[in-house]
Amino acid sequence: MIIQPNSSDLLKTTAFHEAGHAAIFHLLGNDIGQVYIRENGSGSVESLRIRPHQVCLLINKYDPVEVLNRYGLECLSGPVAEMKFLKRRIHGPFIPVASNSKDGDVECFYSEMDNYATHLKIELNQHKTTWNVQQTIIQIFKSKRIWNAVKTLANELCSQKDYQLDGDDVHYILEKNIPWGRWQGTGFGLPMSAIETSFD
């Protein structure tokens, strides 16, 4: 996401976007290396994440549907958190801004769904899959404890002089606000794999 760095409102929007990603990564058991907002206003969460089509081909013990849904949670948690912060209703599935683009959360998820369907030789309703994932994230963020954790992390990120938090600090903030810890809150006992790093 790109913002005007001198705008405090847009800076906070980006902080909530990245905090949403971080909260889901944390709940899924991902180790977070860093959360930051760059000078140009774009934000990022550095974390390990799966590539569903590769994992499903290499490790057939994983449920392909669970793997894809997990990747969707990681991709779309930022946009959903941003919309919730802005108090905007989500009326349908997110649609990529530009076709054939791999930039951005939504574009990244649609691109991976293409790879997933091709490698597994299946038909996939991308809009329905996206909508289902969005609804899951919306339900997760309805938890007062989880949303309070997102708010606390976003505010802490904005308060940093360099708009940056190390992974240990991020996990500490989230664990402090979500005392039952990782994995348990969502009920997703999903597989872990370290295929790709950095998440915008």
Side-chain angles (χ1 to χ4, degrees), residues 58-129:
L58 296 173
I59 313 173
N60 58 18
K61 70 177 181 178
Y62 292 152
D63 181 341
V65 176
E66 288 186 346
V67 173
L68 184 63
N69 285 340
R70 177 190 172 118
Y71 189 74
L73 292 175
E74 294 173 346
C75 285
L76 303 181
S77 49
V80 171
E82 180 180 334
M83 294 289 281
K84 182 174 175 66
F85 167 67
L86 295 172
K87 298 182 179 179
R88 295 179 182 170
R89 292 180 61 86
I90 300 174
H91 298 286
F94 295 133
I95 305 296
V97 175
S99 60
N100 302 321
S101 171
K102 294 184 179 180
D103 297 328
D105 300 321
V106 178
E107 290 79 8
C108 190
F109 185 46
Y110 272 81
S111 174
E112 186 56 34
M113 284 193 286
D114 284 337
N115 292 333
Y116 175 90
T118 299
H119 281 76
L120 297 181
K121 299 178 180 178
I122 61 171
E123 291 187 8
L124 184 66
N125 185 325
Q126 294 186 340
H127 290 171
K128 182 178 180 180
T129 300

Side-chain angles (χ1 to χ4, degrees), residues 4-200:
Q4 296 296 326
N6 292 328
S7 169
S8 60
D9 289 342
L10 292 177
L11 179 69
K12 199 159 190 177
T13 300
T14 298
F16 268 84
H17 181 110
E18 303 308 333
H21 280 312
I24 293 297
F25 284 155
H26 176 82
L27 287 168
L28 292 174
N30 295 32
D31 287 327
I32 297 171
Q34 196 177 58
V35 179
Y36 58 89
I37 300 173
R38 304 180 187 92
E39 288 185 6
N40 69 355
S42 64
S44 186
V45 176
E46 291 184 352
S47 178
L48 302 177
R49 61 175 175 164
I50 61 172
R51 298 292 283 182
H53 75 278
Q54 294 172 333
V55 172
C56 290
L57 288 173
L58 296 173
I59 313 173
N60 58 18
K61 70 177 181 178
Y62 292 152
D63 181 341
V65 176
E66 288 186 346
V67 173
L68 184 63
N69 285 340
R70 177 190 172 118
Y71 189 74
L73 292 175
E74 294 173 346
C75 285
L76 303 181
S77 49
V80 171
E82 180 180 334
M83 294 289 281
K84 182 174 175 66
F85 167 67
L86 295 172
K87 298 182 179 179
R88 295 179 182 170
R89 292 180 61 86
I90 300 174
H91 298 286
F94 295 133
I95 305 296
V97 175
S99 60
N100 302 321
S101 171
K102 294 184 179 180
D103 297 328
D105 300 321
V106 178
E107 290 79 8
C108 190
F109 185 46
Y110 272 81
S111 174
E112 186 56 34
M113 284 193 286
D114 284 337
N115 292 333
Y116 175 90
T118 299
H119 281 76
L120 297 181
K121 299 178 180 178
I122 61 171
E123 291 187 8
L124 184 66
N125 185 325
Q126 294 186 340
H127 290 171
K128 182 178 180 180
T129 300
T130 301
W131 180 243
N132 289 340
V133 170
Q134 288 172 212
Q135 291 301 306
T136 300
I137 299 168
I138 289 169
Q139 291 303 312
I140 292 171
F141 287 157
K142 280 184 178 179
S143 162
K144 289 184 179 179
R145 285 186 172 181
I146 293 176
W147 188 244
N148 283 338
V150 172
K151 289 194 291 186
T152 301
L153 182 58
N155 290 333
E156 188 66 24
L157 183 59
C158 287
S159 72
Q160 301 301 304
K161 186 176 180 180
D162 57 358
Y163 304 120
Q164 177 178 305
L165 286 168
D166 290 334
D168 288 343
D169 294 330
V170 173
H171 285 302
Y172 175 79
I173 291 168
L174 293 173
E175 286 170 2
K176 185 177 179 181
N177 286 273
I178 311 173
W180 30 257
R182 298 155 79 176
W183 296 95
Q184 302 170 19
T186 61
F188 302 123
L190 302 182
M192 286 294 300
S193 181
I195 305 296
E196 185 175 323
T197 61
S198 187
F199 202 80
D200 293 336

